C-alpha cells in the first residue's frame, strides 16, 4: 500500500453494475433487464440465462471460482452459501458453468436461521431469489448475488423482502400525491438512504485477552479510567499509523465495491470512528451497509485491529450508532423534502412534511421498536445518544412556519406575512449543517430526515421498512382525501393545517437529554420505551399489525414471527452476557483478587512478626475481601437467576431485563472495586485505560 490508487479507475470495478451490464450484454437483454427494474416485473428465464453467462464470464475474469446467493436473514447479518462454477463435463474434465436458473434461484438450508416459528410448520428448506435491482459483485474469489430469502410457502424469512415491498408501497402512494399536484411525469418515487456508520477500533492483541469482548462484543466489566490519562506518544504514534493504513485500505476496498465511502477519524470517544457513504436508493443502501460492516471487520483483522460494531462496548464512553438519513426522491431526481422556490413546490413540500410528522407521531412506538435490541438499550436514554423518546427536530425556522400555519398567525420571518399554502413562498429554510441539535433522535436536516436511534450493529432494513410503510400509509390517506376534494387548494390547506395541529406534540427542538424533556414528553403523551422487551410490545398492537398487513409488507404470521425472533434474540444475548460474566468472575476476577489478598495477608503476617505497622495493607485487604465476598454471593445469585427464566418468550425477555441485567450491574460494581484495588500485575485482562488509550 501507499501506492498510487487511481480512484476513478477502481471505483465499482468489482461490481456487475449498470455500466458493465451495458457493455457486456446485448442491447435486447440489457433493455429487458432495465424494463424489469423499472416495472418491477420478474425476469424471463431466457434473459436470466443470458445475464448469467455474461456475469459468470465477467466474474471469472475477476478471479472468481465460486458464486453465492447472498441474503439477509433475521440474524441481522448476512449469510451466504458458496457453490463453485465447476461442473464435470462427463469426460473427466471440468467446465465453468452458471445458468440463469442458478442466478435467479437458490435453495439454502434454512434450518439454521431464525424463523420465529414460520418454518416449523413447513419444510426446513428456504429459497433465495435474485433481486435484480441490486448489483452482483465479486469479493474474495466469489461472485455475490444479492437475494431475497423466503420459505417454501413464500413467507419472508429475511429483511430484504419486506424492504422491497415497502419501497414499492411508498412509491405508489407518493406518486398518487404527485398526480394531484399535476405531476404527470414521475413514474416512481424512491426512498433514498445514507447510513453513517460508527465503530470502534482496538488492537487485536488487547481485544483477544478479553473474554467479554470476544463473546459479547462489549466489556461486561471495567473500572473507569483515571481522567486526563497521559498518552504514550510512541505507542500512540505507531497505532495511529496502523489506523490510518486501515482507513486507506478500507476506502479502497469499498470503492472497488462501488461504495462511495468517506472514513473519518473524528468521533466523540477515543478509538471511535465513523464511515459515511454517499446516499443511494434504500435497497442499495441497505445492501451496502451490510457489506460495509463485513469489509470493515475483515479489513481490520488484516491490520491487526478489531472493529467493534457493538452499540456500547464501554460503559461511560460514548456508544456507536448509525445515522439513517432518509428522504424521498422522484425518478427524475427531485427531492420531495426540499423546500422549493415556488408556492406550488412549497405546498408539495409541506404536504410531505405534514405526512411525515403525522406518521411518526401516530406510529412512534413501531418506529422505536425497529431499533430495539440488547446492545442499543445501553445507548438510548443513557444521556449521550438520542433518548428513547421519539421526537422530531425541525429547527426554529421551519417550526415557525408550522406554527404560523397552525395558528393562522403572521410568520415573523424575513418576509413577514400569513403563510397560506399554495400561495406564499416559504421563507428560506437553512440547512442544518451545523448539527445544532445532536440530541434529537430524528432531525430534519434541510432536505432529509436523520434517524439517529439506529444501533451501530443493526441492519438498517427494519427502520427503513417502517419509515417507508408509515409514509405510504399517511400519503394514502391524504391522497384519498384530496382526490375527493372539489377545491384542491382549500382541501390541502385544511389537511396540512389539521395534521400539524394534531401531531405537533412530536416536534421538539430542545435538549433531548434533559430530565425536563422526559417530563414534558410524558405530559404530551409521547412514549418513553426504555427497554427492548417493553418496546417490542408494538408488534402486538392491532394498529401496527393492520398497517403492515394493509400494505402487504407482512402477513400477520410474518409480523408475529418477527416479534418472536426479536424477543428470542434479546433473551439469548443477555443470557450469553450473564454466562460470560459468571465465567469471568469465577475464572479470572476472583482468582486474581484472592491471590492478591493472600499475598497481602502473608505480607501482613510477616510485618506483624517483625513488629511493623501495616494499617494500609490491612485496610486494603479488608476492602478486597468485602468486595470479593459480595462478588461471589452476587455471582451465585446470578447463577440462580438463570435457572428460573420463565418459559414464555415475552415474560423471559422482561425477566432478563429486570432481573438478570440488574444483577449483572451489581456484579460489575463489585468486580470494578476489585479491579481498582488489585495490584495491576495480578489483573487478568486489559483495563479501560489499556483498551481506550492504547
Ligand atoms: P454531514 O452530516 O457530514 O454534514 P451530510 O449531511 O451531507 O453530511 O450527509 C450525511 C449523510 O446523509 C451522508 O451519508 C449523505 O450521503 C446523506 N444524505 C445527504 N443527502 C441525502 C438525501 N437527500 N437523502 C438521504 N441521504 C442523504
Ligand atoms: Mg449525521
Amino acid at each position: 500500500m501507499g501506492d498510487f490508487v487511481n480512484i476513478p479507475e477502481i471505483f465499482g470495478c468489482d461490481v456487475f453494475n449498470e455500466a458493465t451490464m451495458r457493455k457486456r450484454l446485448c442491447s435486447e437483454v440489457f433493455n429487458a433487464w432495465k424494463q424489469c427494474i423499472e416495472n418491477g416485473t420478474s425476469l424471463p428465464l431466457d434473459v436470466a440465462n443470458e445475464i448469467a453467462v455474461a456475469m459468470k464470464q465477467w466474474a471469472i475474469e475477476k478471479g472468481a471460482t465460486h458464486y453465492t446467493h447472498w441474503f439477509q436473514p433475521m440474524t441481522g447479518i448476512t449469510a451466504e452459501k458458496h457453490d463453485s462454477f465447476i461442473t464435470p463435463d462427463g469426460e473427466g474434465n471440468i467446465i465453468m458453468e452458471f445458468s440463469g436458473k442458478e442466478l435467479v434461484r437458490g435453495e439454502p438450508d434454512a434450518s439454521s436461521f431464525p424463523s420465529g416459528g414460520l418454518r416449523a410448520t413447513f419444510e426446513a428448506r428456504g429459497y433465495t431469489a435474485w433481486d435484480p435491482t441490486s448489483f452482483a459483485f465479486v469479493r474474495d474469489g466469489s461472485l455475490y448475488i444479492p437475494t431475497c430469502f423466503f420459505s417454501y410457502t413464500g413467507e419472508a424469512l429475511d429483511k430484504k423482502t419486506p424492504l422491497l415491498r415497502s419501497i414499492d408501497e411508498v412509491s405508489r402512494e407518493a406518486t398518487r400525491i404527485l398526480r394531484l399536484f399535476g405531476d404527470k411525469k414521475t413514474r416512481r418515487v424512491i426512498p433514498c438512504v445514507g447510513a453513517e456508520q460508527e465503530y470502534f477500533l482496538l488492537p487485536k492483541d488487547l481485544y483477544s485477552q478479553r473474554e467479554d469482548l470476544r463473546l459479547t462484543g462489549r466489556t461486561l466489566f471495567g473500572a473507569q479510567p483515571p481522567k486526563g490519562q497521559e498518552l504514550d506518544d510512541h505507542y500512540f504514534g505507531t497505532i495511529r499509523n496502523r489506523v490510518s493504513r486501515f482507513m486507506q485500505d478500507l476506502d479502497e476496498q469499498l470503492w472497488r465495491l462501488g461504495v462511495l465511502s468517506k472514513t473519518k477519524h473524528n468521533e466523540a470517544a477515543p478509538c471511535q470512528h465513523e464511515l459515511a457513504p454517499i446516499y443511494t436508493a434504500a435497497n442499495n443502501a441497505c445492501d451496502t451497509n451490510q457489506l460495509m460492516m463485513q469489509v470493515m471487520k475483515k479489513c481490520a483483522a488484516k491490520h491487526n485491529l478489531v472493529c467493534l460494531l457493538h452499540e456500547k462496548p464501554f460503559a461511560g464512553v460514548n456508544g456507536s450508532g448509525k445515522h439513517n438519513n432518509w428522504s424521498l426522491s422522484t425518478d427524475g431526481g427531485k427531492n420531495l423534502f426540499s423546500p422549493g422556490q415556488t408556492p406550488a413546490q412549497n405546498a408539495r413540500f409541506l404536504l410531505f412534511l405534514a405526512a411525515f410528522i403525522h406518521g411518526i407521531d401516530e406510529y412512534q412506538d413501531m418506529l422505536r421498536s425497529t431499533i430495539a435490541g440488547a446492545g442499543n438499550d445501553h445507548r438510548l436514554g443513557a444521556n449521550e445518544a438520542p433518548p428513547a423518546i421519539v421526537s422530531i427536530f425541525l429547527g426554529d425556522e421551519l417550526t415557525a412556519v408550522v406554527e404560523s400555519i397552525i395558528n393562522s398567525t403572521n410568520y415573523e420571518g424575513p418576509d413577514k406575512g400569513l403563510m397560506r399554502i399554495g400561495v406564499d413562498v416559504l421563507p428560506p429554510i437553512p440547512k442544518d449543517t451545523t448539527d445544532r441539535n445532536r440530541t434529537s433522535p430524528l432531525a430534519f436536516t434541510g432536505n432529509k430526515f436523520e434517524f439517529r436511534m439506529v444501533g451501530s450493529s443493526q441492519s438498517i432494513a427494519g427502520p427503513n421498512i417502517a419509515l417507508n410503510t408509515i409514509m405510504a400509509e399517511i400519503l394514502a390517506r391524504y391522497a384519498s382525501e384530496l382526490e375527493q376534494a372539489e377545491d384542491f387548494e382549500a382541501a390541502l390547506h385544511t389537511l396540512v393545517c389539521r395534521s400539524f395541529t394534531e401531531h405537533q406534540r412530536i416536534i421538539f427542538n430542545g435538549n433531548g437529554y434533559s430530565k425536563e424533556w422526559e417530563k414534558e414528553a410524558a405530559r404530551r403523551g409521547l412514549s418513553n420505551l426504555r427497554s427492548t422487551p417493553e418496546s417490542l410490545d408494538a408488534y402486538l398492537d392491532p394498529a401496527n399489525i393492520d398497517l403492515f398487513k394493509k400494505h402487504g409488507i407482512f402477513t400477520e404470521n410474518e409480523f408475529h414471527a418477527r416479534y418472536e425472533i426479536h424477543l428470542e434474540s434479546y433473551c439469548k444475548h443477555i443470557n450469553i452476557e450473564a454466562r460470560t460474566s459468571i465465567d469471568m468472575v469465577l475464572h479470572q476476577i476472583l482468582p486474581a483478587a484472592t491471590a492478591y489478598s493472600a499475598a497481602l495477608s502473608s505480607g501482613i503476617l510477616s510485618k506483624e512478626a517483625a513488629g511493623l505497622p501495616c494499617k494500609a495493607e490491612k485496610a486494603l485487604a479488608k476492602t478486597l475481601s468485602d468486595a470479593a465476598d459480595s462478588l461471589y454471593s452476587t455471582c451465585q445469585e446470578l447463577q440462580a437467576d438463570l435457572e428460573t427464566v420463565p418459559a414464555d418468550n415475552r415474560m423471559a425477555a422482561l425477566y432478563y431485563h429486570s432481573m438478570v441485567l440488574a444483577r449483572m450491574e451489581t456484579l460489575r460494581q463489585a468486580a470494578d472495586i476489585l479491579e481498582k484495588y488489585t495490584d495491576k500485575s495480578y489483573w487478568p485482562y486489559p483495563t479501560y485505560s489499556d483498551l481506550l488509550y492504547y
Side-chain angles (χ1 to χ4, degrees):
M1 261 199 334
D3 298 336
F4 170 74
V5 177
N6 186 337
I7 299 171
E9 199 162 286
I10 64 160
F11 187 78
C13 70
D14 291 340
V15 186
F16 197 65
N17 56 21
E18 186 162 341
T20 308
M21 285 169 103
R22 192 189 291 278
K23 237 187 289 169
R24 296 232 171 199
L25 299 172
C26 70
S27 60
E28 293 90 78
V29 172
F30 178 81
N31 290 334
W33 166 77
K34 197 94 186 149
Q35 282 286 306
C36 291
I37 304 292
E38 275 161 17
N39 304 331
T41 51
S42 60
L43 221 52
L45 194 60
D46 55 329
V47 176
N49 275 327
E50 300 250 2
I51 296 179
V53 168
M55 203 187 258
K56 177 200 71 183
Q57 192 52 41
W58 170 83
I60 288 172
E61 286 167 28
K62 294 260 156 214
T65 52
H66 287 66
Y67 69 92
T68 174
H69 275 207
W70 187 59
F71 54 103
Q72 304 179 17
M74 292 303 295
T75 51
I77 52 178
T78 60
E80 42 200 69
K81 174 179 180 264
H82 294 262
D83 282 302
S84 92
F85 290 128
I86 292 171
T87 313
D89 70 351
E91 292 165 18
N93 301 312
I94 50 132
I95 44 170
M96 302 288 261
E97 251 190 353
F98 183 54
S99 68
K101 231 175 80 205
E102 288 163 310
L103 165 64
V104 170
R105 201 170 166 84
E107 285 183 29
D109 180 3
S111 56
S112 56
F113 301 107
S115 77
L118 278 183
R119 211 194 39 247
T121 36
F122 312 112
E123 55 172 294
R125 226 174 329 164
Y127 295 89
T128 47
W130 183 35
D131 161 21
T133 62
S134 198
F135 298 127
F137 54 91
V138 166
R139 213 187 135 213
D140 300 331
S142 275
L143 169 68
Y144 279 71
I145 302 158
T147 56
C148 294
F149 179 48
F150 47 89
S151 74
Y152 179 66
T153 46
E155 272 151 324
L157 296 174
D158 71 346
K159 306 216 168 204
K160 187 190 260 288
T161 309
L163 179 67
L164 290 172
R165 293 173 185 164
S166 75
I167 289 169
D168 282 346
E169 279 301 290
V170 73
S171 172
R172 200 190 52 238
E173 301 305 338
T175 311
R176 238 175 110 192
I177 294 282
L178 294 182
R179 292 286 178 272
L180 289 164
F181 282 88
D183 176 342
K184 298 194 181 70
K185 268 207 336 260
T186 299
R187 292 179 60 229
R188 281 187 71 77
V189 169
I190 302 133
C192 293
V193 172
E196 303 165 79
Q197 173 78 46
E198 290 177 339
Y199 61 97
F200 280 86
L201 282 180
L202 289 183
K204 201 179 193 165
D205 52 337
L206 295 181
Y207 164 90
S208 322
Q209 296 171 50
R210 295 217 39 152
E211 186 177 335
D212 47 5
L213 281 176
R214 282 188 284 113
L215 298 187
T216 72
R218 74 173 178 112
T219 54
L220 300 168
F221 301 102
Q224 290 301 308
K227 274 247 149 60
Q229 171 97 13
E230 285 314 316
L231 303 172
D232 178 337
D233 282 340
H234 174 68
Y235 196 38
F236 183 76
T238 57
I239 291 288
R240 279 292 144 189
N241 286 338
R242 214 197 284 176
V243 170
S244 26
R245 281 199 304 274
F246 158 81
M247 288 188 166
Q248 219 182 333
D249 194 8
L250 176 63
D251 273 341
E252 191 183 318
Q253 288 188 40
L254 291 172
W255 291 333
R256 297 180 70 92
L257 291 166
V259 181
L260 277 159
S261 86
K262 288 180 186 167
T263 47
K264 288 189 254 176
H265 275 278
N266 54 347
E267 275 319 299
C271 326
Q272 195 186 26
H273 311 283
E274 182 190 292
L275 193 159
I278 290 174
Y279 73 97
T280 54
N283 181 31
N284 179 271
C286 194
D287 286 352
T288 297
N289 184 254
Q290 291 292 338
L291 186 58
M292 246 165 58
M293 291 194 284
Q294 284 174 13
V295 175
M296 280 159 72
K297 290 204 154 203
K298 193 145 185 211
C299 185
K302 189 174 140 194
H303 292 265
N304 268 320
L305 295 163
V306 173
C307 169
L308 295 182
L309 292 173
H310 194 282
E311 284 76 16
K312 193 75 179 174
F314 308 101
V317 174
N318 262 347
S320 300
K322 195 130 54 183
H323 290 177
N324 188 89
N325 293 271
W326 180 92
S327 68
L328 291 175
S329 164
T330 67
D331 47 10
K334 227 181 328 182
N335 182 344
L336 297 173
F337 287 108
S338 253
Q341 307 289 313
T342 66
Q345 285 167 358
N346 289 336
R348 190 188 66 207
F349 164 72
L350 288 171
L351 177 136
F352 279 92
L353 180 69
F356 188 85
I357 291 169
H358 181 160
I360 300 302
D361 182 33
E362 188 168 324
Y363 294 104
Q364 50 181 289
D365 292 356
M366 191 60 229
L367 186 65
R368 160 70 181 91
S369 76
T370 65
I371 45 90
N376 218 15
D377 276 1
H378 296 287
R379 237 180 114 231
L380 300 176
N383 231 20
E384 40 128 336
I389 308 161
V390 176
S391 68
I392 300 175
F393 169 85
L394 285 186
D396 294 340
E397 291 79 9
L398 195 51
T399 304
V401 171
V402 168
E403 278 170 0
S404 85
I405 291 170
I406 292 173
N407 304 323
S408 305
T409 50
N410 284 353
Y411 171 71
E412 302 288 335
D415 307 301
K416 287 194 175 66
L418 214 58
M419 276 294 313
R420 277 168 313 154
I421 294 163
V423 181
D424 292 318
V425 176
L426 283 189
I429 312 246
K431 236 185 134 172
D432 181 36
T433 45
T434 50
D435 266 330
R436 275 172 303 170
N437 196 325
R438 300 286 292 176
T439 69
S440 176
L442 185 42
F444 181 71
T445 48
N447 58 8
K448 62 185 191 287
F449 285 95
E450 185 169 348
F451 185 41
R452 298 169 175 155
M453 290 171 104
V454 188
S456 48
S457 72
Q458 295 174 327
S459 159
I460 58 170
N464 287 301
I465 293 166
L467 288 169
N468 296 339
T469 309
I470 290 168
M471 199 65 186
E473 167 60 18
I474 308 298
L475 291 175
R477 288 189 216 165
Y478 287 6
S480 300
E481 182 171 335
L482 295 172
E483 280 161 1
Q484 308 289 320
E486 283 182 8
D487 180 345
F488 173 69
E489 299 242 310
L492 180 64
H493 189 94
T494 310
L495 170 74
V496 168
C497 186
R498 189 184 68 222
S499 285
F500 283 153
T501 310
E502 286 173 2
H503 301 286
Q504 62 176 316
R505 65 172 185 165
I506 197 89
I507 301 170
F508 177 64
N509 294 327
N511 178 5
Y513 302 165
S514 68
K515 279 276 162 255
E516 294 78 64
W517 169 231
E518 265 186 53
K519 278 193 218 124
E520 167 66 11
R523 200 191 54 75
R524 294 187 190 185
L526 299 174
S527 301
N528 186 2
L529 304 168
R530 293 174 161 280
S531 73
T532 295
E534 259 182 291
S535 79
L536 287 178
D537 277 350
Y539 280 83
L540 303 175
D541 184 340
N544 296 330
I545 299 171
D546 285 348
L547 169 75
F548 290 107
K549 214 162 78 179
K550 174 179 167 193
H551 291 278
I553 313 297
F554 295 120
T555 62
E556 201 163 338
N557 265 345
E558 286 174 331
F559 195 59
H560 193 78
R562 269 157 218 255
Y563 170 64
E564 294 290 342
I565 289 169
H566 291 308
L567 281 177
E568 235 171 75
S569 150
Y570 178 81
C571 295
K572 274 190 195 151
H573 266 94
I574 309 288
N575 184 273
I576 292 170
E577 288 187 352
R579 286 188 293 141
T580 306
S581 296
I582 293 169
D583 201 56
M584 285 175 76
V585 164
L586 296 180
H587 297 122
Q588 298 192 295
I589 301 174
L590 269 178
T594 47
Y596 179 50
S597 297
L600 274 177
S601 306
S602 38
I604 291 169
L605 285 179
S606 10
K607 276 178 95 176
E608 275 183 336
L612 294 168
C614 42
K615 248 165 96 184
E617 289 96 325
K618 278 188 172 167
L620 191 54
K622 169 103 174 63
T623 304
L624 284 167
S625 303
D626 288 347
D629 282 354
S630 126
L631 185 72
Y632 186 66
S633 58
T634 310
C635 187
Q636 287 194 307
E637 284 161 352
L638 181 56
Q639 263 168 325
D641 290 342
L642 292 183
E643 269 149 36
T644 50
V645 178
D648 171 71
N649 269 348
R650 182 172 177 277
M651 296 311 289
L654 289 165
Y655 175 87
Y656 271 111
H657 176 69
S658 60
M659 290 294 294
V660 178
L661 267 182
R663 192 85 73 193
M664 283 167 59
E665 190 46 44
T666 313
L667 191 71
R668 178 181 187 138
Q669 279 164 14
D672 290 356
I673 292 175
L674 290 176
E675 183 192 312
K676 259 197 203 149
Y677 288 97
T678 301
D679 176 348
K680 192 157 169 48
S681 64
Y682 284 79
W683 204 248
Y685 48 74
T687 63
Y688 269 30
S689 302
D690 303 329
L691 291 169
L692 291 166
Y693 301 97
Y694 57 75

